[in-house]
Amino acid sequence: MNIRRWSVGVLAATLLVPGLAACKSDESAPAGAGAAASAVPADPKEALIASTKEIEKGNFTFTLAGAGLSGRGLVHKPSNSAQFSMKFDDGSGTSMGMELIYIEPDSWVLLDLGELGAMIPGAAKWKGKYQHLDQSKVKGAGELSRYMEEVDPAGSAKLTKGITEVQKTAEGSYTGKLDVSAAGDAATLDADLVKALGAQAKALPFTAKLDAEGRLTELVISVPGAGETEAHDIKITYADYGNATAAQKPSADKVVEASPETYEMFKE
């Protein structure tokens, strides 16, 4: 898997030019509103598909992990804001990290590229600083130009629609297989990895957990080794439905305008 492209793609598509603003007209459901939701479907596949509906309301926290990557964040549509931090560590001393904040209409990125930072001209000027992004430049900068059509950073709704086998193993617990080739544009998956998996991509084992109100709280996909990628699990969790807090703007003393090199880096 191309770690750099995966991380940039997920972060850029999720937060830099998000679709939260397009959803302003609807008020998010108040905390606890899920209690009035309809009963969890008896059919296991329908239950898992329905479990992602609450995500669409855009008020939750989440985590992502897999293949040396770990991330966490929040989506808060009531304030049209989102925040996500990610770290990558390949286990051999190479590490990098990003934090992105979106508060309509602005966005900021904090980059920690580790040793790679020394290879980028001018990187010392924004080390430890949040770079304020010019939205007109973001929209024309390769990966940064990708718009998020849904508010779910992990694309769980697309993933659950690819379920081919599933059974309920306990109350709120499910196991089965899913066809990720049918959800190749989900942000959680790298297109090159899906291609490398070949026929295996059509039957990846997964487990899922729902809360008492039928909302997705955990999805774990077991990915076999393929190409340069070793076997690993991709784990996605959701929490705080209806109770997320708004993203916080960086303090002025920690903000600089994004450098031309930053926009160029995202184009690659």
Side-chain angles (χ1 to χ4, degrees):
M1 178 171 62
N2 185 324
I3 285 293
R4 188 172 180 281
R5 182 166 62 199
W6 192 97
S7 59
V8 169
V10 170
L11 293 168
T14 303
L15 297 177
L16 292 174
V17 194
L20 293 173
C23 305
K24 290 177 64 176
S25 58
D26 296 330
E27 291 293 332
S28 286
S38 58
V40 179
D43 179 80
K45 182 173 181 178
E46 292 303 316
L48 289 176
I49 291 175
S51 74
T52 65
K53 297 299 183 183
E54 191 72 16
I55 297 172
E56 296 173 4
K57 296 180 181 179
N59 193 335
F60 57 87
T61 59
F62 64 94
T63 69
L64 294 169
L69 289 163
S70 61
R72 63 177 57 250
L74 63 89
V75 174
H76 192 253
K77 198 163 68 175
S79 62
N80 290 305
S81 68
Q83 188 168 357
F84 186 34
S85 61
M86 174 182 281
K87 291 183 179 180
F88 165 65
D89 189 336
D90 67 359
S92 65
T94 298
S95 62
M96 60 180 285
M98 296 185 186
E99 180 182 357
L100 289 117
I101 300 172
Y102 174 83
I103 304 174
E104 188 191 2
D106 294 303
S107 57
W108 300 262
V109 59
L110 174 65
L111 298 173
D112 177 6
L113 302 181
E115 295 180 358
L116 293 177
M119 303 168 60
I120 300 175
K125 293 184 294 185
W126 43 261
K127 184 176 182 180
K129 300 284 187 178
Y130 288 86
Q131 297 183 69
H132 178 254
L133 295 155
D134 181 335
Q135 297 304 303
S136 66
K137 294 180 180 179
V138 165
K139 293 176 182 178
E143 286 285 0
L144 299 190
S145 66
R146 295 177 57 194
Y147 281 78
M148 185 176 75
E149 296 178 356
E150 299 96 16
V151 294
D152 178 13
S156 292
K158 293 179 180 178
L159 292 171
T160 56
K161 289 177 181 177
I163 292 173
T164 57
E165 300 176 23
V166 60
Q167 60 181 340
K168 185 175 180 179
T169 57
E171 194 62 38
S173 296
Y174 301 81
T175 185
K177 294 182 179 180
L178 57 83
D179 179 359
V180 298
S181 67
D185 58 345
T188 311
L189 298 166
D190 178 80
D192 289 341
L193 174 58
V194 173
K195 183 178 180 179
L197 287 170
Q200 295 182 99
K202 295 183 177 295
L204 295 190
F206 78 90
T207 61
K209 294 180 180 179
L210 312 186
D211 64 13
E213 295 173 23
R215 303 173 298 193
L216 184 66
T217 58
E218 180 182 288
L219 176 63
V220 180
I221 305 170
S222 297
V223 183
E228 298 179 357
T229 305
E230 296 181 356
H232 64 282
D233 286 344
I234 295 174
K235 183 177 181 180
I236 307 161
T237 70
Y238 298 91
D240 301 313
Y241 285 111
N243 290 306
T245 57
Q248 299 298 306
K249 182 178 179 180
S251 60
D253 63 326
K254 293 183 178 180
V255 174
V256 296
E257 288 301 311
S259 68
E261 291 79 14
T262 296
Y263 298 107
E264 285 299 317
M265 180 179 63
F266 277 87
K267 287 182 181 180
E268 297 176 2

